[in-house]
Amino acid sequence: MAVFMLQLAEGVDDVVEAQAAGRTKSGEIVLESADERGNPVRIRTYRPDTVTAVFRRGPGDSGSYGWIPQPASGTWWCY
């Protein structure tokens, strides 16, 4: 599991534990986990206009943990 923080346009942060986060071709931000058979299940979906930034909690270049920014555009997946 990973921890993701989404900065929302309404001015609050949403912290979610999921196995993956991604941006689809349409710009939606999706968070997924796996069911008991290992199949991906979307646990949350955000419209493109509701999210201003996405971060994953993980080790930085210095080795200390922090919020690592994810790309602001394009299609991507982060695990």
Side-chain angles (χ1 to χ4, degrees):
M1 284 291 195
V3 178
F4 298 94
M5 177 176 59
L6 293 86
Q7 291 180 338
L8 304 179
E10 62 188 34
V12 297
D13 296 340
D14 195 6
V15 178
V16 181
E17 186 177 63
Q19 289 179 331
R23 183 184 307 273
T24 66
K25 286 183 182 181
S26 66
E28 285 183 317
I29 302 297
V30 296
L31 291 119
E32 294 184 347
S33 285
D35 66 13
E36 61 278 350
R37 294 183 181 184
N39 299 314
V41 176
R42 285 191 180 175
I43 55 174
R44 293 202 188 163
T45 302
Y46 298 84
R47 292 187 331 264
D49 61 332
T50 63
V51 178
T52 59
V54 179
F55 301 86
R56 181 190 187 282
R57 182 109 174 117
D61 293 336
S62 67
S64 60
Y65 271 70
W67 292 108
I68 301 168
Q70 300 307 300
S73 62
T75 302
W76 53 265
W77 283 98
C78 178
Y79 302 90

